[in-house]
Amino acid sequence: MSDLLDNTEEARKAVVEWLTKKAKTKSKFYIKDFYKIFPDDKPRMIKKVVNKMVEDEILEYWSSGSTTMYGLKGAGIQHSSEGEN
């Protein structure tokens, strides 16, 4: 496991920084996109960090029914249109 994933706070900071940089072009990401942040780590460990960030309401899930994506809480077009009829 990388030093980054050993330090949960640093891992969270790295994820938020990466998402903030990418926010100009995209607001939702597949779990495999997060693998680029932690190239030396196993997918299961990365998923645990991302899921914990969802639990802590730093990130949020978005699902189309067949695909699950993740993004910063409150970011993106989908978030603003949820709940409209």
Side-chain angles (χ1 to χ4, degrees):
M1 183 164 39
S2 72
D3 292 337
L4 194 57
L5 280 186
D6 281 338
N7 183 340
T8 306
E9 200 55 43
E10 286 299 315
R12 288 176 180 210
K13 195 184 292 187
V15 169
V16 171
E17 285 176 15
W18 184 79
L19 289 172
T20 304
K21 263 194 250 180
K22 298 284 186 178
K24 291 180 176 98
T25 58
K26 201 170 156 185
S27 64
K28 304 289 185 244
F29 299 87
Y30 296 102
I31 190 67
K32 66 180 176 135
D33 294 327
F34 293 91
Y35 300 168
K36 297 171 191 169
I37 305 170
F38 310 104
D40 300 331
D41 295 298
K42 293 185 178 185
R44 184 71 193 130
M45 293 305 298
I46 297 166
K47 190 165 185 164
K48 282 183 180 182
V49 169
V50 172
N51 285 336
K52 181 66 174 147
M53 290 178 75
V54 171
E55 276 181 34
D56 294 341
E57 297 185 357
I58 298 168
L59 301 180
E60 64 184 354
Y61 288 117
W62 178 86
S63 178
S64 66
S66 62
T67 301
T68 301
M69 299 180 88
Y70 302 83
L72 286 172
K73 186 157 182 79
I77 295 170
Q78 175 66 25
H79 185 272
S80 64
S81 65
E82 284 180 4
E84 293 180 4
N85 291 330

